[in-house]
């Protein structure tokens, strides 16, 4: 089996089954996806040494005594010892495994009578699987596997995880009977030709983020090493470039600005893209303009005002494949859409926060100190970490209908965090937190959604901070070089302070100011009555029917005010649209027992009048 690394999706199967049953399943798959996925960008791998195009009705799927998986070699294939099929966000082999061979971001391999599905540690490309009879079906997109299920059903643990984190924690997916391969892991199946059965023989952890034995404390030494590592990381991402221009998503924050500066230093032609939210929210583009002017690169401001957001909402949800409930997803889809008109390769600064402790760690460090003094300390710390997601953990009884609420009583969201927060891999609390953000917020949320949004627009997505040598080096840094007093990402700022304007390097960290509350309480207000309609929620029997009204009235909880109102409404909107647009659940009849059919100002006036 030859290696393929290219920005396309793949679907395959491995195992034993009757030809007629396989043909029926493939027919069902093709009937659903032929209108949604570009045919020339999909490869089907089967048990024969043949690659079939989707437009072909000829499938020679005879039962082989020894199941094997093949793919057709490409003439322009990158020279590599990897034997398998795979997909990379960047279009490059970037992950070096234990035997020094290079792997794509997600892969399928055959070793004798074993099937191996694997993903690199940063989690850039998702990989899903399901078992039907004695066949493992696998795909790079969840929706490719949905037609295999007679009636796809929502996974209650997956839904609960989503409501806690804004993404579904791996290995769960939002669909029963379909699972995800965790980042940095290989899953292995074996077969017996005599009995024609297959079984999962285990999982193999490929990489552990852990604290280095010898910590770097010398600031000047750390700065010099980091500057070299950053340049090397960029060099590995531009090896295939000739003279074509590339894009960079430029928020004006430190990480994306560093990537833009490194590309310019390397002599790459760069065009930057930034978001314009209009009058609502806190504008970021003035910072992006400052960076672009300093680096002397062109900057494209992409319209991300409510009209464009609403127009892109459904295409973005379909592109994401999984429900990702953060407010940045649709604006990032618009950025990808704009960049795809002028380039095929986009760079971003994703991963910098995870590597250099960029998220607010001070409250969690305080919680960690409290943990050593409190009898329920570990539980308290896990709860503190859960709160950093600012979603619906702790509100379960208020948001779910009784039947679903009863089904989640045995679930503990902390169980989805414990491996990432495992103190056995770090004596330093800051290193422990960095490991967790890499494995959770990075690998399960930020990176896969960036890849899917890029792929949907024909882009190769490159994240220079997703670099193993660089990441492993950061785990050798002493905590004081990452978090110095109140200054987060201190060593990164010191390393790049001569590459960018001081205002950009040293300004306080702030997330992308997506004005969700403004959108939901104004331009998107009438649509909330459809997306979160009480009649539909009542019939679906998951969420409390009047949940949206409760949120906008500020009655769900004291912490859900201001910006959190928009974040929670958006979380629910994305789920509801995902279940209809991707899962394919039918929409029930709407009811009118909600305030959203009134103009927002009139509803507020009526509330004041009643009071």
């Amino acid at each position: 089996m030859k290696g393929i690394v290219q920005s396309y999706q793949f679907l395959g199967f491995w195992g034993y089954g009757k030809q007629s049953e396989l043909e029926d399943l493939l027919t069902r798959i093709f009937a659903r996806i032929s209108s949604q996925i570009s045919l020339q960008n999909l490869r089907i791998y089967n048990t024969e040494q043949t690659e079939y195009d989707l437009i072909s009705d000829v499938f020679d799927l005879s039962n082989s005594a020894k199941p094997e998986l093949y793919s057709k070699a490409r003439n322009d294939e990158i020279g590599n010892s990897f034997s398998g099929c795979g997909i990379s966000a960047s279009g490059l082999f970037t992950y070096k495994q234990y035997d020094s061979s290079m792997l794509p971001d997600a892969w399928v391999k055959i070793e004798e009578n074993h099937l191996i599905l694997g993903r690199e540690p940063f989690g850039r490309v998702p990989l899903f699987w399901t078992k039907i009879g004695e066949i493992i079906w696998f795909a790079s997109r969840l929706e490719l596997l949905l037609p295999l299920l007679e009636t796809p059903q929502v996974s209650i643990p997956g839904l609960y995880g989503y409501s806690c984190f804004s993404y579904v924690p791996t290995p769960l997916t939002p669909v029963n009977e379909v699972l995800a391969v965790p980042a940095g892991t290989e899953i292995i199946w074996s077969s017996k030709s005599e009995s024609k059965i297959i079984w999962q023989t285990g999982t193999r952890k490929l990489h552990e983020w852990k604290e280095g034995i010898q910590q770097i404390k010398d600031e000047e030494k750390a700065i010099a090493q980091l500057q070299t590592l950053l340049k090397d990381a960029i060099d590995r991402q531009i090896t295939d470039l000739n003279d074509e221009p590339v894009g960079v998503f430029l928020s004006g924050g430190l990480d994306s600005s560093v990537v833009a500066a490194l590309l310019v230093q390397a002599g790459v032609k760069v065009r930057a893209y930034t978001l314009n939210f209009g009058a609502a929210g806190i504008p970021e583009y003035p910072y992006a303009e400052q960076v672009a002017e300093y680096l002397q690169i062109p900057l494209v401001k992409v319209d991300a005002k409510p009209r464009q957001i609403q127009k892109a909402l459904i295409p973005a949800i379909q592109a994401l494949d999984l429900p990702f409930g953060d407010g940045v997803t649709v604006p990032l889809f618009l950025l990808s859409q704009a960049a795809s008109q002028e380039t095929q390769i986009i760079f971003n600064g994703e991963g910098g926060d995870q590597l250099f402790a960029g998220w607010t760690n001070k409250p969690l460090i305080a919680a960690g100190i409290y943990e050593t003094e409190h009898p329920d300390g570990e539980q308290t710390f896990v709860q503190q970490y859960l709160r950093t997601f600012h979603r619906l953990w702790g509100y379960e009884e208020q948001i779910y209908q009784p039947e679903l609420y009863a089904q989640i009583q045995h679930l503990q969201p902390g169980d989805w965090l414990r491996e990432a927060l495992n103190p056995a891999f770090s004596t330093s609390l800051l290193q422990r937190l960095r490991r967790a953000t890499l494995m959770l917020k990075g690998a399960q949320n930020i990176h896969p959604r960036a890849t899917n949004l890029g792929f949907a627009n024909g882009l190769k997505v490159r994240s220079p901070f997703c670099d193993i040598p660089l990441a492993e080096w950061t785990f050798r840094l002493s905590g004081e070089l990452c978090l110095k007093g109140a200054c987060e990402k201190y060593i990164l700022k010191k390393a790049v302070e001569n590459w960018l304007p001081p205002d950009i390097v040293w300004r306080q960290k702030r997330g992308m100011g997506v004005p969700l509350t403004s959108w939901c309480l104004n331009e998107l207000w009438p649509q909330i009555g459809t997306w979160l309609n009480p009649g539909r929620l009542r019939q679906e029997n998951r969420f409390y029917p009047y949940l949206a009204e409760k949120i906008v009235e500020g009655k769900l909880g004291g912490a859900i005010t201001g910006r959190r109102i928009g974040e929670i409404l958006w979380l629910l909107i994305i789920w509801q649209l995902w279940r209809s647009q991707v899962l394919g659940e039918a929409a029930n009849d709407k009811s009118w027992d909600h305030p959203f059919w009134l103009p927002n100002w009139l509803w507020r006036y009526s509330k004041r009048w009643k009071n």
Side-chain angles (χ1 to χ4, degrees):
M1 187 169 62
K2 300 293 185 180
I4 296 180
V5 175
Q6 186 174 309
S7 297
Y8 61 70
Q9 308 299 339
F10 67 78
L11 165 73
F13 54 87
W14 177 87
Y16 301 96
K18 292 181 180 178
Q19 178 179 343
S20 58
E21 293 175 351
L22 288 172
E23 289 178 348
D24 288 344
L25 289 172
L26 287 168
T27 299
R28 197 188 306 170
I29 292 170
F30 298 162
R32 170 165 177 152
I33 66 176
S34 59
S35 62
Q36 300 176 27
I37 294 178
S38 176
L39 297 185
Q40 66 267 23
N41 287 337
L42 187 69
R43 297 283 189 264
I44 294 290
Y45 301 105
N46 63 26
T47 53
E48 297 299 319
Q49 298 184 38
T50 310
E51 177 182 273
Y52 298 96
D53 293 328
L54 278 180
I55 55 174
S56 172
D57 293 326
V58 180
F59 290 91
D60 184 6
L61 306 176
S62 58
N63 235 354
S64 69
K66 180 182 178 184
E68 293 183 302
L69 189 67
Y70 294 89
S71 71
K72 184 178 178 182
R74 294 173 57 228
N75 293 330
D76 59 342
E77 183 182 341
I78 301 170
N80 197 280
S81 61
F82 168 62
S83 179
C85 68
I87 183 172
S88 257
S90 64
L92 301 170
F93 288 84
T94 56
Y95 177 57
K96 183 182 290 186
Q97 62 175 346
Y98 54 87
D99 62 359
S100 295
S101 63
M102 302 296 286
L103 290 173
D105 293 341
W107 60 87
V108 184
K109 296 190 291 184
I110 294 295
E111 292 180 358
E112 296 181 348
N113 62 332
H114 302 295
L115 169 69
I116 302 171
L117 304 181
R119 294 175 66 206
E120 53 77 37
F122 293 105
R124 284 169 292 202
V125 174
L127 185 53
F128 306 98
W129 66 273
T130 189
K131 186 173 184 285
I132 298 178
E134 295 304 317
I135 297 177
I136 300 295
W137 292 81
F138 50 86
S140 55
R141 283 180 69 84
L142 175 70
E143 71 167 338
L144 293 174
L145 298 179
L146 295 182
L148 298 170
L149 309 176
E150 288 292 341
T151 306
Q153 299 290 328
V154 165
S155 163
I156 299 305
L159 169 58
Y160 183 35
Y162 172 82
S163 72
C164 293
F165 307 125
S166 81
Y167 62 84
V168 179
T170 57
L172 298 175
T173 74
V175 180
N176 278 337
E177 301 180 50
V178 181
L179 294 172
V181 178
T185 302
E186 285 187 328
I187 302 180
I188 306 156
W189 286 268
S190 299
S191 67
K192 270 191 178 179
S193 57
E194 300 84 6
S195 55
K196 292 185 170 47
I197 62 170
I198 60 173
W199 69 96
Q200 186 175 331
T201 52
T203 60
R204 182 160 58 209
K205 190 74 174 176
L206 301 176
H207 197 93
E208 286 288 5
W209 302 115
K210 57 185 177 181
E211 188 174 359
I213 297 173
Q214 293 186 333
Q215 294 286 288
I216 301 170
K217 297 182 179 181
D218 185 292
E219 184 175 312
E220 293 303 317
K221 178 181 177 181
I223 289 171
Q225 290 180 354
L226 178 53
Q227 289 174 338
T228 299
L229 284 162
L230 289 170
K231 292 174 182 178
D232 288 347
I234 281 288
D235 288 344
R236 281 187 279 272
Q237 298 278 322
I238 62 176
T239 55
D240 63 329
L241 299 184
N242 294 316
D243 197 37
E244 68 268 33
V246 303
V248 61
F249 291 160
L250 185 62
S251 67
L254 179 63
D255 301 330
S256 61
S257 300
V258 168
V259 170
L262 286 164
L263 288 167
V264 170
Q265 289 177 25
V268 177
K269 294 179 180 177
V270 180
R271 178 178 287 266
Y273 300 85
T274 195
L275 290 164
N276 178 13
F277 293 116
I282 303 170
E284 292 286 328
Y285 67 81
Y287 298 109
E289 287 177 329
Q290 187 178 354
V291 174
E293 183 178 353
Y294 185 87
L295 298 177
Q296 297 185 321
I297 58 175
L299 177 68
V300 177
K301 285 195 286 187
V302 177
D303 185 354
K305 295 189 278 293
R307 181 185 296 274
Q308 297 303 318
I309 292 295
Q310 193 162 349
K311 191 185 301 183
L313 185 54
I314 299 302
I317 287 169
Q318 292 171 336
L320 286 166
D321 189 45
L322 293 171
F324 289 103
D326 289 347
V328 300
T329 52
V330 180
L332 290 176
F333 178 84
L334 290 171
L335 275 182
S336 297
Q337 201 173 53
S340 69
Q341 305 303 308
E342 300 173 317
T343 185
Q344 295 180 326
I345 297 174
I346 195 73
F347 284 79
N348 62 43
E350 305 289 20
D353 279 328
Q354 295 102 321
L355 291 191
F356 295 98
W359 272 294
T360 304
N361 293 283
K362 293 181 283 292
L364 284 167
I365 291 173
I369 296 170
Y370 177 66
E371 169 193 334
T372 62
E373 303 171 354
H374 194 280
D376 298 323
E378 180 62 26
Q379 182 64 26
T380 302
F381 181 71
V382 171
Q383 290 175 347
Q384 288 283 349
Y385 196 87
L386 271 167
R387 291 191 183 100
T388 68
F389 291 90
H390 300 293
R391 295 302 184 260
L392 289 169
W393 175 74
Y395 295 92
E396 292 85 351
E397 194 169 4
Q398 298 179 67
I399 68 171
Y400 292 124
Q401 294 197 43
E403 184 178 332
L404 193 146
Y405 179 66
Q407 293 180 57
I408 66 169
Q409 291 307 296
H410 69 288
L411 298 173
Q412 297 296 326
D415 292 343
W416 295 317
L417 306 178
R418 290 191 193 283
E419 182 189 357
L421 288 167
N422 189 342
F425 296 100
S426 299
T427 58
S428 159
L429 181 56
L430 188 61
Q431 303 285 37
R432 185 181 175 193
L433 293 172
R434 290 181 51 247
R435 168 185 162 89
T437 57
L438 277 162
M439 294 177 65
L440 299 170
K441 297 175 181 178
Q444 300 185 43
N445 185 14
I446 292 171
H447 297 308
R449 80 184 183 208
T451 296
N452 283 350
L453 292 172
F455 277 7
N457 288 285
L459 293 171
K460 295 176 182 177
V461 182
R462 301 192 175 177
S463 308
F465 287 109
C466 291
D467 183 81
I468 292 290
L470 173 61
E472 289 183 331
W473 178 85
T474 64
F475 277 91
R476 294 171 51 212
L477 284 172
S478 68
E480 295 78 10
L481 292 180
C482 288
L483 180 61
K484 189 155 187 169
C487 181
E488 296 174 332
K489 300 165 82 168
Y490 173 77
I491 195 63
L492 179 62
K493 293 176 178 180
K494 288 295 292 181
V496 304
E497 63 180 344
N498 294 324
W499 300 354
L500 293 163
D503 290 349
I504 299 299
V505 174
W506 295 104
R507 76 182 178 101
Q508 189 174 355
K509 165 71 180 176
R510 185 176 62 200
M512 187 181 291
V514 184
L516 293 173
T517 298
S518 175
W519 292 347
C520 289
L521 298 185
N522 294 286
E523 294 87 354
L524 302 184
W525 175 267
Q527 291 299 320
I528 293 175
T530 299
W531 295 331
L532 302 177
N533 185 268
R536 290 179 173 173
L537 295 182
R538 189 180 298 111
Q539 293 180 58
E540 290 163 17
N541 200 29
R542 294 175 190 135
F543 291 114
Y544 171 66
Y546 302 104
L547 185 53
E549 183 176 355
K550 201 171 183 179
I551 291 168
V552 298
E553 289 180 341
K555 294 180 179 179
L556 187 61
I560 300 180
T561 59
R563 60 180 276 198
R564 303 298 180 207
I565 289 175
E567 289 173 355
I568 299 304
L569 286 172
W570 191 261
L571 178 84
L572 298 168
I573 289 166
I574 294 297
W575 174 268
Q576 288 300 107
L577 291 176
W578 174 85
R579 53 156 289 280
S580 64
Q581 298 297 318
V582 178
L583 186 61
E585 286 188 345
N588 300 309
D589 292 336
K590 293 188 293 184
S591 65
W592 292 93
D593 52 339
H594 62 81
F596 302 102
W597 60 272
L598 289 171
N600 179 274
W601 66 267
L602 184 56
W603 171 71
R604 291 188 178 279
Y605 177 80
S606 69
K607 294 287 290 183
R608 286 197 297 270
W609 183 78
K610 288 178 182 178
N611 293 332

